[in-house]
Amino acid sequence: MENQPTIMVTNDDGIDAPGLRALVQVLVSTRRFQVLVCAPDSEKSAMSHSITWRDPIAARRVEIDGATAYAIAGTPADCTSLGISKSLFPLIPDLVISGINMGSNCGYHIVYSGTVAGAREAFFNDIPAISVSYNWFGGQSKVENFTLSAEACIPIITAVLVEIKNKTYPLRCFLNIDLPTDVAHNKGYKLTKQGKSIYKMGWSQVTSDMQGGKMLSTMTMDTDSTAPIETGALNLSQDHLLFKREVLGGKLDEGDIDNADFKFLQQGYVGIFSLLV
């Protein structure tokens, strides 16, 4: 309906990712929003705010119930930029939501995050934005938790849209939301601030792209050696060396952690903080 606010959804895990699909399904099910989707056609995790500069990018219509959706052959920032430009959709969205990411985005991870970049690109263009991430934990998390995470975000999304309508929403920041692993039993919402947590990365020399594990968007390793790494065919001559990233371990903020994002996430809270640029 014409008087409904318009929300555009993007992400970095790709248009078929369960986090995005759950978020769109929950938004559509409320019947309170017009929902647009402009998301990468494949996983673009850790792309940060990279953009496509020289080449055109392709947009392909995708069927998602209740939404107008396109898969884009570009980065998360490309998707947001195109989606808010009025070149793809006939209107500018009232709010851009990037997510729900498979894996938290706390501390310094927001620098690498394509999810956060999807929201930041909207912010750069004076459009309110929210990045949303779920703290996926292998062996414990289930795909259904994305739906619970989306439902937990509805009160925040609704409050933001009310402020947008009333012209009281601050335009000098955008929001980052992290949802705990046990989101069904979350302890409530907590206003926090960006901490300094980070996963330390290293490199190991390998002899083929099949050796070792695959780096997941959760900054962990899939050690299933039968899973191909998504680098395409590597036809390297013998004078080339091949290296692959590996996780060396996590480093938490050892300074002022009283209000740090990762601390509250571990305690089971839905953490919310604003990012100023």
Side-chain angles (χ1 to χ4, degrees):
M1 296 179 64
E2 293 185 0
N3 61 341
Q4 289 182 325
T6 301
I7 297 175
M8 192 190 83
V9 178
T10 190
N11 72 348
D12 71 355
D13 290 329
I15 197 164
D16 293 320
L20 180 142
R21 293 303 180 110
L23 175 59
V24 172
Q25 188 275 325
V26 169
L27 290 172
V28 169
S29 69
T30 67
R31 298 184 179 181
R32 287 151 43 190
F33 316 116
Q34 181 178 353
V35 182
L36 309 176
V37 180
C38 190
D41 59 4
S42 61
E43 184 175 343
K44 296 294 189 294
S45 295
M47 282 282 184
S48 189
H49 211 105
S50 60
I51 61 172
T52 302
W53 187 251
R54 295 181 178 88
D55 301 318
I57 58 175
R60 172 175 53 87
R61 184 70 184 264
V62 175
E63 292 299 323
I64 300 180
D65 288 345
T68 303
Y70 285 88
I72 309 300
T75 69
D78 287 335
C79 294
T80 296
S81 179
L82 178 61
I84 65 177
S85 68
K86 296 182 73 174
S87 296
L88 184 65
F89 302 116
L91 74 170
I92 298 174
D94 299 292
L95 176 67
V96 170
I97 304 177
S98 185
I100 299 171
N101 189 62
M102 179 182 280
S104 64
N105 274 304
C106 295
Y108 290 140
H109 291 164
I110 68 169
V111 176
Y112 299 104
S113 171
T115 301
V116 175
R120 190 190 298 116
E121 181 67 22
F123 164 77
F124 285 163
N125 290 274
D126 299 320
I127 297 174
I130 305 172
S131 52
V132 184
S133 303
Y134 166 68
N135 191 32
W136 181 275
F137 192 85
Q140 183 175 342
S141 297
K142 299 179 180 179
V143 173
E144 292 77 13
N145 289 341
F146 286 117
T147 297
L148 297 175
S149 295
E151 291 170 348
C153 290
I154 290 297
I156 304 170
I157 294 167
T158 301
V160 166
L161 287 168
V162 168
E163 292 205 359
I164 293 170
K165 182 178 180 180
N166 294 335
K167 303 185 184 303
T168 55
Y169 184 79
L171 294 178
R172 299 185 63 184
C173 66
F174 65 98
L175 297 182
N176 185 65
I177 301 174
D178 280 289
L179 297 116
T181 304
D182 189 9
V183 64
H185 302 98
N186 74 80
K187 296 181 179 180
Y189 304 93
K190 184 75 73 170
L191 292 176
T192 180
K193 66 179 183 180
Q194 181 188 352
K196 299 178 181 179
S197 60
I198 191 171
Y199 279 101
K200 292 296 184 180
M201 298 291 176
W203 293 89
S204 60
Q205 187 172 352
V206 296
T207 57
S208 75
D209 61 346
M210 296 292 292
Q211 182 179 342
K214 172 189 172 184
M215 180 73 74
L216 301 177
S217 61
T218 55
M219 294 289 187
T220 57
M221 298 295 294
D222 180 359
T223 56
D224 179 5
S225 60
T226 64
I229 297 175
E230 296 173 2
T231 55
L234 293 177
N235 297 316
L236 302 179
S237 61
Q238 291 184 350
D239 60 341
H240 285 80
L241 301 177
L242 193 60
F243 295 88
K244 187 166 58 178
R245 282 191 182 272
E246 60 181 0
V247 179
L248 300 179
K251 180 181 179 182
L252 299 180
D253 183 2
E254 297 176 353
D256 178 16
I257 62 172
D258 288 342
N259 297 306
D261 46 9
F262 192 66
K263 172 188 174 182
F264 285 127
L265 186 63
Q266 287 184 312
Q267 292 177 352
Y269 289 96
V270 177
I272 310 162
F273 68 88
S274 61
L275 287 164
L276 306 175
V277 182

